[in-house]
Amino acid sequence: MRLLIVEDEKRLATSLARGLTAEGFAVDVVHDGLEGLHLAGQGVHDLLVLDIMLPGMNGYRICAALRAAGHETPILMLTAKDGEYDEAEGLDTGADDYLTKPFSYVVLVARIRALLRRRGGSASPVLTAGMLRMDTAARRVHRGEEEVTLTAKEFAVLEQLVLRVGEVVSKADILEHVWDFAYDGDPNIVEVYISTLRRKLGAASIRTVRGAGYRLEAL
């Protein structure tokens, strides 16, 4: 999943980005409200972590502008303010959740995963595809009774396929959701991860659809 962090406290933004990247997310970071609105408006992110007090444009206005333009991307607001009126204003402008600084990183990750599950229409953190079972909360994968050990990036690539099991997922879609804007390497990196997943899950688990992408088979 691809996240956008709009936070002007650079040390906090960098710390969050490192932690969330280690969790398997692709993370883009900006420190200015206007730039945040521009990137969020492109519609390529699965979730927006949005500070309220920002230079250029505050988080309330960004949230309201995105909702007015029809964007339904989940928004988790962060603020140093504290009080029910601030929370109410954030939610009234279209935010989906709200955390007051200082906050627990563990709680932040849990809130992000809950919002992503809600967006996907599933209240359960467990995704299934035939014998394959992915626990997105515990970050564990089982095929039948056997646990399959995956790296964070392998998990993220597989998650994109499981979310659309039986459908063709293009290389561009995988790159867009698993790697961030800063990635300017070889797009064939996707093929490397697909090959690794086949070795771990079975050669027939992921089919290549020539010229289109990859399809996870519900084995």
Side-chain angles (χ1 to χ4, degrees):
M1 294 293 178
R2 190 170 187 167
L3 312 181
L4 174 61
I5 298 174
V6 188
E7 168 61 68
D8 65 330
E9 293 183 39
K10 294 184 179 180
R11 291 180 64 182
L12 173 59
T14 299
S15 176
L16 291 178
R18 286 175 178 168
L20 291 168
T21 298
E23 296 282 344
F25 295 106
V27 183
D28 299 306
V29 178
V30 294
H31 308 294
D32 176 83
L34 290 173
E35 188 178 1
L37 177 61
H38 172 70
L39 286 182
Q42 295 180 13
V44 301
H45 296 93
D46 298 288
L47 184 138
L48 174 61
V49 178
L50 178 64
D51 190 25
I52 290 180
M53 303 302 291
L54 292 165
M57 177 182 283
N58 70 40
Y60 295 135
R61 292 177 60 197
I62 294 172
C63 186
L66 290 171
R67 296 305 188 230
H71 293 285
E72 298 181 354
T73 305
I75 296 175
L76 173 62
M77 276 193 163
L78 304 179
T79 181
K81 290 185 174 183
D82 190 11
E84 60 183 18
Y85 292 107
D86 297 318
E87 180 174 354
E89 184 173 357
L91 297 175
D92 284 345
T93 55
D96 298 275
D97 205 348
Y98 186 104
L99 276 178
T100 301
K101 301 174 185 176
F103 52 82
S104 162
Y105 174 74
V106 173
V107 171
L108 172 72
V109 174
R111 297 281 186 90
I112 287 173
R113 295 199 187 284
L115 288 174
L116 291 172
R117 290 198 300 273
R118 192 184 309 166
R119 185 190 191 196
S122 172
S124 170
V126 178
L127 305 174
T128 59
M131 295 174 60
L132 190 68
R133 188 172 75 258
M134 293 188 75
D135 188 328
T136 59
R139 313 302 286 173
R140 299 177 71 180
V141 176
H142 288 81
R143 185 174 183 192
E145 297 300 318
E146 180 183 358
E147 183 167 2
V148 182
T149 302
L150 300 179
T151 66
K153 271 288 189 284
E154 289 167 357
F155 191 99
V157 172
L158 181 60
E159 185 175 13
Q160 290 302 309
L161 297 173
V162 173
L163 285 168
R164 296 168 58 183
V165 61
E167 301 178 19
V168 176
V169 183
S170 71
K171 184 187 297 183
D173 281 343
I174 296 173
L175 277 171
E176 182 176 285
H177 289 279
V178 179
W179 279 267
D180 57 31
F181 278 131
Y183 181 75
D184 60 358
D186 189 344
N188 289 327
I189 188 67
V190 175
E191 296 176 11
V192 174
Y193 280 91
I194 293 294
S195 177
T196 302
L197 288 171
R198 284 179 175 138
R199 287 200 301 271
K200 293 185 176 184
L201 300 174
S205 58
I206 302 173
R207 303 287 186 183
T208 297
V209 180
R210 189 175 299 276
Y214 309 96
R215 182 176 62 237
L216 179 70
E217 305 289 352
L219 301 176

